[in-house]
Amino acid sequence: MKTINFEQVITKLDEYKYIIIDKNIYELYSELRPPLTHKVVYTFIATERNKSLKAYEEALEFFISNNISRDDELLVIGGGITSDLGGFVAATLLRGINWSVMPTTLLAQIDASIGGKVGVNSSYGKNLIGNFHLPQAVYLCEKFLTTLDKADYESGLGELIKYAFLSDEVYKLIMDKKVTNDLIKCCAEYKQSIVDHDLREGHARKVLNLGHTLGHAIERAKDIPHGVAVYWGLKLILEMYATKEINNYFNDLSSRLGLSFELGLIDWNTFEKHLLKDKKIVASGKIDLILVEEIGKVQISSKRVTEFIFDIKEKLHEYFSF
Ligand SMILES: NC(=O)c1ccc[n+]([C@@H]2O[C@H](COP(=O)([O-])OP(=O)(O)OC[C@H]3O[C@@H](n4cnc5c(N)ncnc54)[C@H](O)[C@@H]3O)[C@@H](O)[C@H]2O)c1
């Protein structure tokens, strides 16, 4: 992965003929339009609803009708929705072509664009259709973050806190300087280093799911942005199983980053339904939880689902309406 400035973004475009770009980026960054004029550009409306088989098929047909070949490399420019869809197009087009990505949201720069998990949503749930297909290059450009709206930026910060518990280097960078290019790169490199050892989430990669087990169920029950849900998922799993000291670190990090997301009561039935549908719950009735022991030290602990549900009801009951 490479940090580049905006002038380099513009010159990089020369290297690619086939491009998928988030429509908002296309409209916001007029400087990108002249170099895109003679390219084959699919502008994509980046909503969860549009991260669909329909949009995926449309993009495939668009590139095929424009004579894309197996030697071509696709460039994807946008946030996590666009990189998930664009990477999946690359993974399957002509049985797989190379792709590279310029992530344009904080969440995509530190997380979603790294590690090759690509795909679209099914009508039965998020990210249920997809593959693993690593990008050739990830280009990080800080300038894109200047136009993110507050909610999308804060969603990225929600996911960022997770890395502070996985890597003490990230923790120190947040406590020293808040969000900088170095911090973004540090998170991205941390994720890449894990993925390099375990692309298909056999074991090591599971640590990246810290905060996600409860987070996914909260995201679906409350319909809130992904990073905000991860923030809550992390906060609640720490409240359940981490020491007071670790919980204090979480509070320090939150105030350092200026985060105080409102949640409101979570409807228990909806939450439980989504928790039990989570693809990470193994068929044996056990669930892998990522638990924080110290900053930079987590462990994967397998618990019986019934025990986990009991613990949630006992320790977190004030967050739910039953
Ligand atoms: N593949 C993975 O490993 C992985 C990991 C985490 C999340 N995800 C996925 O990422 C998605 C969320 O992605 P996200 O939070 O990056 O954002 P997003 O792609 O959902 O974009 C959010 C909004 O910001 C707009 N936007 C994007 N860049 C902008 C910019 N620079 N300036 C102004 N507006 C901009 C988009 O058009 C959109 O309206 C979810 O679908 C989630 O499932 C994937």
Side-chain angles (χ1 to χ4, degrees):
M1 105 211 14
K2 234 177 141 184
T3 301
I4 60 176
N5 62 34
F6 195 64
E7 285 66 43
Q8 291 169 308
V9 166
I10 293 171
T11 49
K12 267 278 155 223
L13 296 179
D14 285 343
E15 295 172 24
Y16 300 87
K17 180 172 174 198
Y18 295 93
I19 295 167
I20 295 184
I21 185 167
D22 178 325
K23 191 162 187 280
N24 280 333
I25 296 292
Y26 188 80
E27 281 167 5
L28 281 168
Y29 291 85
S30 57
E31 307 92 315
L32 299 181
R33 275 179 249 146
L36 291 179
T37 316
H38 300 294
K39 314 276 180 180
V40 178
V41 180
Y42 182 80
T43 48
F44 172 66
I45 298 171
T47 60
E48 281 298 338
R49 207 183 150 78
N50 206 27
K51 191 174 127 182
S52 62
L53 280 174
K54 187 164 173 278
Y56 159 75
E57 182 186 354
E58 194 182 289
L60 286 175
E61 298 286 19
F62 173 77
F63 289 115
I64 293 167
S65 69
N66 280 287
N67 305 319
I68 196 163
S69 77
R70 287 191 81 178
D71 298 331
D72 288 309
E73 181 168 329
L74 184 68
L75 178 66
V76 179
I77 309 171
I81 291 187
T82 309
S83 57
D84 278 8
L85 177 122
F88 189 41
V89 167
T92 46
L93 190 60
L94 306 174
R95 298 197 181 84
I97 63 167
N98 286 340
W99 70 298
S100 284
V101 55
M102 289 179 181
T104 61
T105 63
L106 178 60
L107 188 132
Q109 293 194 352
I110 61 169
D111 197 309
S113 71
I114 320 283
K117 272 192 188 175
V118 295
V120 295
N121 300 327
S122 141
S123 55
Y124 292 95
K126 274 191 66 179
N127 301 325
L128 295 180
I129 304 158
N131 209 336
F132 293 90
H133 190 50
L134 285 169
Q136 299 296 302
V138 179
Y139 300 108
L140 304 173
C141 174
E142 207 176 14
K143 171 152 184 194
F144 284 120
L145 306 186
T146 58
T147 51
L148 266 186
D149 71 25
K150 190 167 176 284
D152 288 315
Y153 187 72
E154 288 187 347
S155 171
L157 292 178
E159 185 94 42
L160 182 74
I161 288 200
K162 169 188 89 175
Y163 285 99
F165 289 93
L166 296 173
S167 150
D168 49 2
E169 203 182 334
V170 171
Y171 176 79
K172 283 185 202 128
L173 281 170
I174 297 178
M175 294 314 275
D176 285 354
K177 298 198 197 116
K178 294 196 185 172
V179 183
T180 59
N181 236 337
D182 286 348
L183 172 62
I184 291 170
K185 197 150 183 260
C186 190
C187 294
E189 284 175 348
Y190 175 84
K191 178 164 181 183
Q192 189 62 54
S193 71
I194 298 283
V195 170
D196 285 345
H197 288 101
D198 178 20
L199 175 64
R200 287 179 177 268
E201 204 169 292
H203 185 74
R205 188 170 179 162
K206 286 187 176 158
V207 301
L208 297 171
N209 294 329
L210 175 61
H212 282 64
T213 304
L214 294 176
H216 276 145
I218 295 171
E219 182 174 356
R220 286 159 210 171
K222 299 291 290 185
D223 198 17
I224 52 176
H226 179 76
V228 177
V230 172
Y231 173 93
W232 278 103
L234 175 57
K235 179 175 162 56
L236 298 190
I237 201 82
L238 295 180
E239 278 185 30
M240 286 172 78
Y241 298 123
T243 61
K244 193 157 187 333
E245 192 186 14
I246 293 290
N247 278 280
N248 289 341
Y249 286 138
F250 181 88
N251 294 336
D252 289 349
L253 286 160
S254 297
S255 54
R256 184 82 190 134
L257 294 170
L259 295 180
S260 61
F261 298 119
E262 294 288 323
L263 187 62
L265 286 179
I266 309 164
D267 176 67
W268 174 262
N269 291 334
T270 321
F271 169 84
E272 189 184 31
K273 184 179 91 192
H274 289 299
L275 182 72
L276 299 180
K277 209 163 76 175
D278 194 297
K279 60 183 188 252
K280 280 153 197 133
I281 295 187
V282 285
S284 63
K286 289 192 165 179
I287 187 162
D288 280 338
L289 299 176
I290 318 304
L291 304 180
V292 178
E293 292 186 339
E294 293 167 24
I295 293 284
K297 189 168 174 209
V298 294
Q299 59 147 316
I300 303 168
S301 162
S302 180
K303 247 191 202 323
R304 295 196 66 78
V305 174
T306 46
E307 190 189 339
F308 185 48
I309 299 261
F310 178 85
D311 286 352
I312 299 173
K313 282 185 163 166
E314 191 180 68
K315 297 179 183 181
L316 301 175
H317 53 86
E318 76 268 31
Y319 291 100
F320 293 93
S321 61
F322 292 94

